[in-house]
Amino acid sequence: MKFDLNETIVAPATLPGTGAITVIRMSGPDSFAVADRVVKLASGTIGTSAANSIRFGTACYPGGEPLDEVLVSVFRSPHSYTGEDSVEISCHASKFIAEELVLQLCNAGARTAEPGEFTRRAYVNGKMDLAQAEAVADIIASSGSASLRVAMNQLKGGYSKELSAVREQLLEMTSLLELELDFSEEDVEFADRSRLLELLDSSLAHIYSLTDTFRYGNALRNGVPVAIVGAANSGKSTLLNSLVGEQRAIVSDIAGTTRDTVEEMLNIDGHLFRIIDTAGLRETSDSIEKIGIERAYSKLSEASVVLAMVDLTSSGPEIEDSISDILKRVDFSCQKLLILANKVDLEGSNKNVSVINNVVSTANNEIVTLNISAKAGIGLKGLKEALVATQNDSPVNSGQTIVTNLRHYEALRNASSALESVRTSLLSGLTPDLIAEDLRQALHHLSAILGEVTPDEVLGNIFSRFCIGK
């Protein structure tokens, strides 16, 4: 990525051709001069316009031929998104007009921005830290109210404040130990070891609480994984198709049709779910089907919510075996289980409802059982409500900070590992220099999240994932 704060950059901030207007964003030291070379106002210039004002003008070709009538929003440093002099030009949402306007601005002295370059400038100019900058991308990518709420909290600095508080504790610890090193010949102890252990335990507890949220945060970012599992021909693929409203999975009376997992995203009341259809669970000699069944069990273990499909037209023993097999594989400490008694629309199906109730009553009080017909659409509204209800006790509803970023999670894990080494060293009575080294490592990992020690190549990788214009 090109990155030079002395250059003026430009790019569309909205997608041309999809609405009434397109916004062209420009930022950098020559923003006003470049804009004045392309946009002519009725009176005055953009460069002499007041900050936070909007001026009407005409975008023109070099010879004076008009291109479009535009509105120019003027932002003066440091009161802009990037912290630099910036303008945003609103033109009609013609792809041709937008491309021509960007071309004329580039010919007048700007250059096309790289992906994420505006936000990177905001970070470099101190308008936000790196965690907040990454939250901008999360806001753009948010596909539900829960993910948006988490990203907004991170953008407002809630996450950064928590990390900064932990970092301050560690800095205090480190400074006291390093002070001892300066007076090592005098055998002076500035850092009370019991106090250090208290600070250490407090910091570790805080970091552990953050890393524990990553499983949920990752699901929130990529969709809560919901695995549909059960015996062959129990209606799993039919359910997937009915939930998403299209023929996404192949449905057949032949057992073993689904050989691999099929995934589809589903937004229910602002919650994004990743619905996963899996191969039917049964004994088979087919080597390919066996692989599909192994993947089904794998998806079951990884899912946040398990939908156990039960065919009510099967025999009582078959139903008991199917539910029992799934029950022993569900971890109720971190997974929700919904048992779906399918095919209630078929004659004689109700005779096996009591079989399901008996198995469930002796298993776990948190299991929800629903009577449905995936084919006829019976009970699907209740199923969607039950899926949303599985998220009611999620950390996001309690206002807790959620870790959704893998880079942050790995940095927190590395920081906790370094702090665990510090704790061991303290209890073993090791010298301050060894303890301080591990503390510096922990500080390094936490600082990397906020962008205080992040190498340029890492920054380039982070911002390259942004859209152009942001």
Side-chain angles (χ1 to χ4, degrees), residues 36 68 78 141 155 188 223-224 241 303 340 362 435:
D36 274 323
D68 191 22
L155 179 63
V188 178
V224 178
N241 292 340
L340 308 182
T362 59
I435 299 172

Side-chain angles (χ1 to χ4, degrees), residues 228-240:
I228 309 174
V229 297
N233 267 7
S234 57
K236 299 182 298 300
S237 296
T238 302
L239 177 62
L240 173 70

Side-chain angles (χ1 to χ4, degrees), residues 84-195:
E84 305 171 330
D85 286 343
S86 302
V87 297
E88 292 183 356
I89 304 174
S90 300
C91 63
H92 289 97
S94 157
K95 189 172 185 291
F96 171 76
I97 292 174
E99 289 177 349
E100 282 294 299
L101 184 50
V102 170
L103 176 62
Q104 296 309 314
L105 291 169
C106 286
N107 289 340
R111 71 161 171 83
T112 305
E114 299 288 337
E117 192 169 0
F118 290 99
T119 304
R120 183 169 179 177
R121 289 188 176 211
Y123 157 68
V124 171
N125 291 324
K127 299 294 288 185
M128 59 183 73
D129 62 39
L130 190 55
Q132 290 173 297
E134 288 172 292
V136 172
D138 288 343
I139 288 173
I140 294 170
S142 62
S143 52
S145 58
S147 57
L148 176 61
R149 200 182 317 164
V150 171
M152 284 298 296
N153 178 60
Q154 185 173 323
L155 179 63
K156 291 177 179 178
Y159 183 31
S160 300
K161 288 175 184 176
E162 286 199 36
L163 290 179
S164 295
V166 174
R167 189 171 173 276
E168 286 301 317
Q169 287 184 319
L170 298 182
L171 276 172
E172 178 186 349
M173 225 184 291
T174 307
S175 60
L176 291 174
L177 286 169
E178 291 184 341
L179 192 60
E180 288 184 10
L181 295 176
D182 293 336
F183 294 88
S184 57
E185 294 181 0
E186 301 178 26
D187 194 27
V188 178
E189 186 177 278
F190 289 98
D192 182 288
R193 295 309 190 256
S194 60
R195 173 59 180 154

Side-chain angles (χ1 to χ4, degrees), residues 97-419:
I97 292 174
E99 289 177 349
E100 282 294 299
L101 184 50
V102 170
L103 176 62
Q104 296 309 314
L105 291 169
C106 286
N107 289 340
R111 71 161 171 83
T112 305
E114 299 288 337
E117 192 169 0
F118 290 99
T119 304
R120 183 169 179 177
R121 289 188 176 211
Y123 157 68
V124 171
N125 291 324
K127 299 294 288 185
M128 59 183 73
D129 62 39
L130 190 55
Q132 290 173 297
E134 288 172 292
V136 172
D138 288 343
I139 288 173
I140 294 170
S142 62
S143 52
S145 58
S147 57
L148 176 61
R149 200 182 317 164
V150 171
M152 284 298 296
N153 178 60
Q154 185 173 323
L155 179 63
K156 291 177 179 178
Y159 183 31
S160 300
K161 288 175 184 176
E162 286 199 36
L163 290 179
S164 295
V166 174
R167 189 171 173 276
E168 286 301 317
Q169 287 184 319
L170 298 182
L171 276 172
E172 178 186 349
M173 225 184 291
T174 307
S175 60
L176 291 174
L177 286 169
E178 291 184 341
L179 192 60
E180 288 184 10
L181 295 176
D182 293 336
F183 294 88
S184 57
E185 294 181 0
E186 301 178 26
D187 194 27
V188 178
E189 186 177 278
F190 289 98
D192 182 288
R193 295 309 190 256
S194 60
R195 173 59 180 154
L196 286 182
L197 278 172
E198 288 178 9
L199 286 173
L200 190 61
D201 288 341
S202 173
S203 299
L204 275 170
H206 205 141
I207 292 174
Y208 289 150
S209 70
L210 289 172
T211 54
D212 285 346
T213 66
F214 180 68
R215 179 184 173 102
Y216 173 75
N218 189 50
L220 194 66
R221 186 173 187 164
N222 300 304
V224 178
V226 179
I228 309 174
V229 297
N233 267 7
S234 57
K236 299 182 298 300
S237 296
T238 302
L239 177 62
L240 173 70
N241 292 340
S242 296
L243 286 174
V244 302
E246 62 177 282
Q247 295 300 305
R248 184 66 181 82
I250 297 173
V251 176
S252 170
D253 292 333
I254 302 172
T257 303
T258 303
R259 299 295 186 93
D260 202 351
T261 57
V262 180
E263 301 188 11
E264 194 67 31
M265 306 303 286
L266 182 65
N267 193 316
I268 309 173
D269 295 340
H271 297 272
L272 187 65
F273 295 94
R274 180 158 47 92
I275 312 296
I276 309 165
D277 181 24
T278 64
L281 307 178
R282 64 170 182 165
E283 294 293 330
T284 180
S285 58
D286 187 311
S287 59
I288 302 299
E289 190 178 355
K290 280 183 178 180
I291 295 173
I293 292 171
E294 289 173 2
R295 291 183 180 179
Y297 282 127
S298 176
K299 291 298 182 182
L300 189 160
S301 65
E302 296 169 2
S304 295
V305 181
V306 177
L307 302 183
M309 289 289 286
V310 177
D311 182 353
L312 286 175
T313 64
S314 300
S315 67
E318 286 177 325
I319 290 175
E320 289 182 358
D321 290 344
S322 177
I323 297 176
S324 297
D325 180 45
I326 294 170
L327 280 174
K328 68 184 181 183
R329 297 174 186 274
V330 174
D331 182 353
F332 287 98
S333 67
C334 59
Q335 292 180 295
K336 305 286 187 179
L337 174 62
L338 306 181
I339 294 181
L340 308 182
N342 190 30
K343 305 183 182 180
V344 294
D345 56 319
L346 298 183
E347 186 177 349
S349 61
N350 291 333
K351 66 180 180 181
N352 283 322
V353 171
S354 60
V355 175
I356 297 174
N357 292 335
N358 289 337
V359 177
V360 171
S361 64
T362 59
N364 189 299
N365 292 331
E366 297 180 2
I367 298 174
V368 175
T369 302
L370 299 170
N371 296 332
I372 71 165
S373 170
K375 186 175 183 179
I378 298 171
L380 295 191
K381 181 181 178 182
L383 171 56
K384 290 180 179 180
E385 292 172 350
L387 283 171
V388 171
T390 64
Q391 304 305 300
N392 287 343
D393 59 353
S394 65
V396 70
N397 293 327
S398 65
Q400 181 181 351
T401 297
I402 310 295
V403 178
T404 62
N405 189 303
L406 179 60
R407 186 183 74 85
H408 299 175
Y409 174 71
E410 290 176 342
L412 288 168
R413 287 287 301 273
N414 290 333
S416 64
S417 179
L419 291 179

